Amino acid sequence: MEPPTARFAFATADFEEAEYVILGVPFDLTTTFRHGAKAGPNAIREASHGFEPYVFEHDVLLTKIKVHDAGNIEELGTPADMVRVTEAEVTKIVEAGKFPILLGGEHSITIPAVRAMNDVGVITIDAHLDFRDEYDKNYLSHACVLRRNADRVGIENVLAYGIRSISIEEKRAPMPEYIDAYTIHDEGVEKTFKKALNMMKREDIYFSLDIDGIDPAFAPGTGTPEPFGLSSIDVKKCIKMMGPRMVGFDVTEVSPPYDNGNTAVLAARLVIEVIAVTHKLRKKR
Ligand code: MN
Ligand code: MN
C-alpha cells in the first residue's frame, strides 16, 4: 500500500475502530479514449478538504463518524494484478464488518470490489452499459465491468441507471436491466429510481458510480464523456433513496488531467454524501 498525498477529510480513524474504510485504486490501464484516471484517488482526497464537517440537510457531523483512509494500492502492471490485489484488500474490509469506499481509477476496479462482497445486487450509474464480454481482447476492461459483475452475482442482480451509450454488440446479446437517461429526463429521478430499487431482488446493494453517468456539464473531468447525462442533484437523490440498503460504494473514472477541478470536488462531495446518508439510515436497522 502507498500513503495518499493527502488523507480524505475527516478520515482520522484507524482501521480497527472504523465504520468506513476508504481505499484508492489508482489504475487506468484499460481506459479506451482519454487516460488520467489513475490520478483520481488523490485528486478526490485533496478536493474533500473544502467542505464543512457538518452536513446540515442530514444533521450529521462527519467528525463523529469513524472513517479510515487506507491509502492507495500500489501501481500495478496488469488488469489481472489489479483485480487480485484489490479483491484481497476489499475482502479484508468486508470481513471486518466495515463499509468499503473505493476511489478510482478506471471503472474496472469495480470488478474485484463486487467479487469481495457477499450476496449483493449491483446498481451502477453510468453513461455506458459496460456489458461487453471483452474489449481489445481484454475481459477485465472498463467496458466489461457490469458483465463481469453479472458473472459474479447473476445478470438478474445488476442494474444500470443513466445509460445513453449501448454498442450494437451489447444490443444483440442478453442485456441486463437498465434505465436510460432519456427515460429519467422524461419521468423524473424519483419515479425511475424507485422503480430501479424495486427491481433489485437482493436487499443489500453495492453502488458503483462511473462519474461519466453525470453530465459532462457537471463532471467534465472524465475519460469517456457523454452528453445528456444526469445532474449532480439527481445522483444525490439516488444516494438518499439507496441509503438504507447500500453496503459498499465506489466512484470511478475521475480524470484530473481533463478536469477544471469541479469533477473531483463533486466526487468528494458524493463520497461525503454516501457516508452521511448511510451512517444515518443504517443505524436504524
Ligand atoms: Mn462510463
Ligand atoms: Mn463505466
Side-chain angles (χ1 to χ4, degrees):
M1 298 292 292
E2 279 180 351
T5 53
R7 201 163 50 191
F8 197 90
F10 322 112
T12 55
D14 58 32
F15 182 87
E16 283 68 32
E17 62 178 344
E19 180 185 358
Y20 297 87
V21 176
I22 293 172
L23 177 68
V25 189
F27 181 82
D28 72 352
L29 272 184
T30 83
T31 41
T32 44
F33 184 49
R34 311 194 299 198
H35 297 279
K38 73 178 177 187
N42 286 341
I44 295 167
R45 286 185 176 101
E46 282 156 25
S48 71
H49 290 266
F51 300 105
E52 284 291 334
Y54 182 55
V55 187
F56 83 92
E57 71 273 33
H58 302 306
D59 192 25
V60 164
L61 191 55
L62 295 166
T63 46
K64 291 240 169 94
I65 303 177
K66 303 285 188 215
V67 182
H68 175 66
D69 190 335
N72 291 331
I73 286 176
E74 280 170 52
E75 228 168 287
L76 293 159
T78 68
D81 289 339
M82 181 279 292
V83 165
R84 178 176 47 77
V85 175
T86 305
E87 183 178 351
E89 290 298 326
V90 180
T91 298
K92 279 187 221 165
I93 297 167
V94 172
E95 285 186 348
K98 302 172 191 308
F99 186 113
I101 296 175
L102 279 72
L103 309 178
E106 59 169 61
H107 202 177
S108 52
I109 71 162
T110 305
I111 296 170
V114 166
R115 284 191 193 175
M117 305 297 298
N118 299 311
D119 301 323
V120 292
V122 177
I123 293 182
T124 183
I125 292 182
D126 198 329
H128 311 91
L129 198 62
D130 288 354
F131 214 70
R132 288 175 156 98
D133 192 36
E134 60 168 45
Y135 192 83
D136 283 347
K137 299 190 173 142
N138 178 10
Y139 81 113
L140 298 173
S141 163
H142 73 156
C144 310
V145 177
L146 201 61
R147 181 70 171 264
R148 296 288 86 79
N149 290 166
D151 291 347
R152 175 69 183 192
V153 303
I155 191 170
E156 70 282 9
N157 290 313
V158 301
L159 184 142
Y161 188 82
I163 297 300
R164 48 211 189 270
S165 173
I166 296 173
S167 68
I168 189 69
E169 294 81 11
E170 289 170 314
K171 185 75 189 169
R172 285 174 178 151
M175 290 174 85
E177 295 287 359
Y178 70 93
I179 298 177
D180 68 72
Y182 309 108
T183 303
I184 298 164
H185 291 310
D186 286 346
E187 298 183 11
V189 70
E190 285 87 354
K191 182 181 167 189
T192 54
F193 203 72
K194 187 174 178 193
K195 185 177 162 195
L197 285 172
N198 288 337
M199 285 155 83
M200 299 304 287
K201 295 171 190 75
R202 289 182 170 172
E203 178 61 20
D204 288 349
I205 292 169
Y206 182 91
F207 172 40
S208 177
L209 174 61
D210 180 329
I211 203 78
D212 71 30
I214 301 171
D215 194 86
F218 299 93
T222 194
T224 324
E226 278 280 342
F228 316 124
L230 306 192
S231 71
S232 41
I233 195 78
D234 289 339
V235 176
K236 192 176 196 287
K237 288 176 183 171
C238 294
I239 289 169
K240 188 173 182 188
M241 292 173 76
M242 262 185 287
R245 295 172 65 180
M246 202 193 305
V247 295
F249 170 61
D250 64 55
V251 55
T252 68
E253 300 285 344
V254 172
S255 185
Y258 295 91
D259 196 10
N260 57 11
N262 291 342
T263 314
V265 166
L266 176 58
R269 183 59 183 82
L270 292 173
V271 170
I272 287 171
E273 189 69 13
V274 164
I275 292 171
V277 166
T278 57
H279 177 75
K280 190 168 174 179
L281 298 178
R282 274 155 42 99
K283 276 199 295 197
K284 291 179 189 152
R285 272 188 175 181

